């Protein structure tokens, strides 16, 4: 017997004003999304049980608020084994994998499982709901979505970034002052549990092996990513340089008339956006696109305070521009939105130059694909890498990037796996193995990297791995690196 974990618990649950009252719902997880789901469901009269394996100060605070709203909060591992009797719907937080015992128990009992994205889409108002422009990809999602939100706001629209970044989706769709449009970042975790979203335009920026431990296989990871294209209305945006993204478009069931639009850092063909000399050009959303193009902005408009524009940053800008153009935004708003945008921290962030060596923080490069994009931005790199590889293979990364590596400094739990790849594919590159895990480890990392570097080199923190073996998150790892670089700078006489 097979079970569809997404079937309907009750007919008619397709908008925020539907009759949710009396529905028995189990909310799994009390993070930001779980709290928002429990709050919204309780507010609409559902009987909500909220469970959390862990107990932290933040979870206790959320539990106190939810209990005031008559939510039955249960904390501890004994509560995340099986749904309580009478459960009609499970709403899960994105970090819970499909092979989790609670998810398997729900499927075996025939109980539908939704993620926060599915719930948020169902709770949109039936009429006048803000349309969604959706983005996923192994890397670049947050930058692209925030670029898109900036463009939309410069077009005079009330817009926000939401989903896996920015405003929680439920908060965005239920906001008392409705948005005109939402720029929605969706992770593979979130996409796994959704089936109903029907975006105006959607994009997969790139795909490479990641989160294999969560999905179980690369095929399942790809399948989750491809779900973003399902039911898209106007445009499926794909990466011309990544044939797998175009294949996902070809396999998707879209609304009749939806177009496939490519983005490329090269010269665009018709139905693409790309680059002509130093101009970002649109040959997709213009009349007579066989013979003409619209100028969107120049590469210089993207630079901000940076000395150059990394290729993957340029690709993100093109994807954001394509999504905005699909929604009908004009070229001037695209230019102004991209010109005003500044990336979040820990993304190819220049920290300082010491004795001719530039130090760059890309702690957000938490997988090999992202690390490769970062290394590709520079000619000669002392690479700082390591952490939790999450089942990812680094051989192709090391083989492809070996000619750019001046040296490598390794840290973290899976550093030996990277060291072995280096011995196979870059045996002449000097490697320093930093085994320490104390809070001061980054000072030694920076000292060793500076020792390996020569004037003109870049010391690049692009770990190719997650941070949780040693740090709270990639931001804490990046902060530690930046602080160590500043101490190194002070020891060498200050800014250059």
């Amino acid at each position: 017997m097979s079970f569809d974990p997404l079937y309907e618990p009750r007919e008619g649950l397709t908008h925020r004003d539907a009759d949710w009252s009396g529905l028995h719902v189990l909310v799994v997880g009390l993070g930001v999304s779980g709290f928002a789901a429990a709050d919204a469901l309780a507010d609409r009269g559902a009987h909500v049980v909220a469970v959390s394996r862990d107990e932290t100060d933040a979870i206790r605070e959320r539990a106190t608020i939810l209990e005031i709203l008559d939510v039955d909060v249960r904390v501890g591992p004994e509560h995340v084994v099986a749904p309580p009797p009478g459960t009609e719907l499970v709403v899960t937080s994105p970090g819970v994998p499909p092979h989790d015992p609670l998810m398997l128990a729900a499927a075996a009992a025939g109980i539908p499982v939704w993620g926060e994205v599915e719930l948020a889409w169902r709770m949109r108002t039936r009429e006048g709901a803000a349309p969604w422009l959706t983005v996923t990809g192994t890397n670049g999602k947050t930058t692209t979505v925030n670029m898109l939100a900036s463009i939309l706001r410069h077009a005079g629209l009330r817009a926000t970034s939401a989903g896996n970044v920015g405003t929680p989706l439920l908060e965005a769709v239920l906001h008392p002052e409705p948005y005109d449009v939402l720029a929605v970042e969706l992770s593979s975790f979130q996409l796994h549990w959704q089936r109903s979203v029907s975006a105006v335009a959607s994009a997969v920026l790139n795909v490479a092996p990641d989160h294999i431990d969560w999905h179980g296989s690369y095929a399942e990871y790809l399948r989750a990513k491809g779900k973003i294209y399902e039911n898209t209305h106007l445009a499926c945006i794909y990466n011309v340089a990544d044939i797998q993204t175009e294949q996902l478009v070809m396999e998707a069931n879209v609304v009749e008339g939806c177009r496939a639009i490519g983005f490329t850092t090269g010269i665009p063909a018709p139905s693409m956006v790309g680059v002509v000399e130093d101009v970002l050009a649109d040959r997709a959303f213009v009349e007579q696109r066989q013979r003409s193009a619209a100028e969107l902005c120049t590469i210089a408009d993207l630079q901000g305070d940076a000395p150059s524009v990394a290729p993957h940053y340029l690709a993100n800008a093109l994807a954001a521009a394509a999504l905005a153009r699909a929604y009908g935004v004009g070229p001037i708003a695209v230019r102004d939105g991209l010109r005003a945008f500044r990336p979040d921290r820990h993304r190819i962030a220049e920290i300082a130059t010491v004795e001719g060596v530039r130090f760059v923080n890309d702690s957000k490069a938490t997988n090999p694909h992202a690390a490769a994009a970062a290394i590709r931005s520079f000619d000669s790199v002392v690479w700082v890498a390591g952490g939790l590889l999450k089942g990812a293979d680094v051989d192709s990364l090391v083989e492809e990037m070996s000619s750019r590596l001046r040296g490598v400094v390794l840290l973290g739990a899976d550093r030996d796996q990277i060291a072995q790849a280096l011995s196979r594919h870059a045996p002449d590159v000097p490697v320093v193995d930093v085994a320490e895990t104390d809070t001061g480890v980054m000072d030694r990392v920076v000292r060793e990297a500076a020792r390996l570097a020569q004037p003109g080199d870049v010391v690049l923190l692009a770990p190719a791995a997650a941070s949780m073996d040693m740090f709270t998150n990639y931001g804490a790892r990046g902060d530690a690196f930046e602080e160590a670089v500043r101490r190194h700078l002070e020891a060498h006489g200050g800014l250059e």
Side-chain angles (χ1 to χ4, degrees):
M1 184 177 182
S2 62
F3 299 100
D4 177 2
L6 284 167
Y7 77 81
E8 299 294 320
R10 176 191 292 175
E11 292 297 325
L13 296 182
T14 56
H15 60 100
R16 69 192 291 179
D17 299 321
D19 183 13
W20 299 84
S21 62
L23 189 71
H24 290 263
V25 185
L26 173 66
V27 174
V28 182
L30 281 175
V32 173
S33 62
F35 174 79
D39 181 22
L41 287 161
D43 186 56
R44 283 152 185 79
H47 298 299
V48 181
V49 176
V51 298
S52 172
R53 181 183 306 276
D54 303 315
E55 184 174 8
T56 65
D57 289 342
I59 287 173
R60 281 191 290 270
E61 182 178 346
R62 294 176 188 131
T64 299
I65 296 171
L66 290 175
E67 286 167 347
I68 294 171
L69 301 173
D70 292 328
V71 173
D72 181 357
V73 180
R74 306 175 187 180
V75 178
E78 68 274 17
H79 299 299
V80 291
V81 177
T87 300
E88 298 171 88
L89 171 67
V90 173
V91 176
T92 182
S93 297
V96 181
H99 56 265
D100 181 88
L102 181 54
M103 299 299 103
L104 294 175
I111 301 170
V113 179
W114 295 354
E116 57 169 335
V117 174
E118 185 73 13
L119 181 64
W121 182 261
R122 301 295 189 108
M123 283 194 170
R124 298 163 73 244
T125 53
R126 178 174 288 172
E127 300 295 335
W132 291 12
L133 303 173
T134 56
V135 178
T136 195
T138 302
N139 297 299
K141 299 182 292 295
T142 298
T143 296
T144 302
V145 161
N146 286 335
M147 283 177 167
L148 175 59
S150 178
I151 292 169
L152 295 170
R153 287 191 288 266
H154 278 82
L157 298 164
R158 177 170 159 75
T160 189
S161 53
N164 201 44
V165 65
T167 308
L169 260 176
L170 273 168
E171 181 180 325
V173 301
L174 301 177
H175 200 284
E177 299 177 22
Y179 290 98
D180 295 321
V181 58
L182 297 178
V184 180
E185 176 186 331
L186 297 176
S187 70
S188 61
F189 301 166
Q190 293 170 313
L191 285 163
H192 174 87
W193 299 110
Q194 79 83 19
R195 69 166 182 179
S196 301
V197 174
S198 184
V200 171
S202 54
V204 179
L205 304 176
N206 45 65
V207 282
D210 198 16
H211 301 302
I212 305 304
D213 52 349
W214 196 96
H215 289 280
S217 69
Y218 184 46
E220 282 300 304
Y221 174 73
L222 276 178
R223 190 182 71 84
K225 288 295 190 186
K227 289 177 74 173
I228 201 168
Y229 288 134
E230 296 292 320
N231 305 312
T232 298
H233 282 260
L234 295 182
C236 292
I237 314 298
Y238 68 92
N239 184 345
V240 174
D242 189 335
I243 194 170
Q244 292 179 105
T245 64
E246 185 176 10
Q247 184 64 36
L248 292 175
V249 174
M250 294 170 63
E251 294 170 355
N253 293 313
V254 300
V255 175
E256 185 69 28
C258 181
R259 298 172 60 199
I261 305 297
F263 67 90
T264 173
T265 56
I267 296 174
S271 291
M272 294 182 185
V273 295
V275 180
V276 180
E277 296 181 349
D278 67 341
V279 171
L280 278 66
D282 169 13
R283 290 191 70 188
F285 303 102
V286 293
E287 293 185 12
Q288 316 220 333
R289 55 183 176 272
Q290 293 290 340
R291 299 186 298 277
S292 63
E295 179 176 334
L296 301 176
C297 67
T298 66
I299 291 176
D301 288 322
L302 304 178
Q303 274 185 243
D305 301 324
S308 61
V309 176
H312 61 286
Y313 188 85
L314 175 58
N316 294 339
L318 288 161
L323 287 161
R325 293 288 285 155
Y327 190 63
V329 173
I332 292 175
V334 172
R335 180 200 66 194
D336 291 348
L338 290 174
R339 183 183 285 170
F341 175 76
R342 294 294 180 272
D344 291 344
R345 296 186 60 213
H346 311 297
R347 292 165 170 82
I348 306 287
E350 298 242 357
I351 308 165
T353 299
V354 183
E355 297 182 342
V357 175
R358 294 159 63 196
F359 289 80
V360 175
N361 170 18
D362 197 41
S363 184
K364 184 61 173 70
T366 56
N367 56 60
H369 187 267
I375 296 170
R376 202 177 289 118
S377 303
F378 308 102
D379 294 327
S380 183
V381 170
V382 175
W383 181 31
V384 178
L388 293 173
L389 286 170
K390 302 173 293 183
D393 178 66
V394 293
D395 277 77
S396 59
L397 161 65
V398 172
E399 185 174 15
E400 181 186 355
M401 295 298 147
S402 60
S403 63
R404 296 175 185 264
L405 299 179
R406 173 80 68 185
V408 180
V409 180
L410 297 176
L411 75 164
D414 293 335
R415 65 188 185 281
D416 185 59
Q417 187 175 331
I418 303 174
Q420 291 179 29
L422 287 161
S423 69
R424 286 190 290 269
H425 304 294
D428 297 329
V429 174
V431 177
V432 177
D433 185 297
V434 178
E436 295 96 313
T437 59
D438 59 273
T439 55
V441 65
M442 279 298 184
D443 286 303
R444 184 185 168 198
V445 166
V446 169
R447 285 196 306 272
E448 296 290 356
R451 182 178 60 80
L452 294 172
Q454 297 180 16
D457 289 347
V458 171
V459 171
L460 174 66
L461 174 67
S467 59
M468 287 79 75
D469 56 331
M470 294 174 61
F471 301 93
T472 306
N473 50 44
Y474 74 82
R477 177 172 61 190
D479 288 342
F481 180 72
E482 290 188 3
E483 289 162 6
V485 170
R486 292 190 182 99
R487 286 190 289 270
H488 175 69
L489 176 64
E490 291 171 1
H492 287 76
L495 287 170
E496 293 188 8

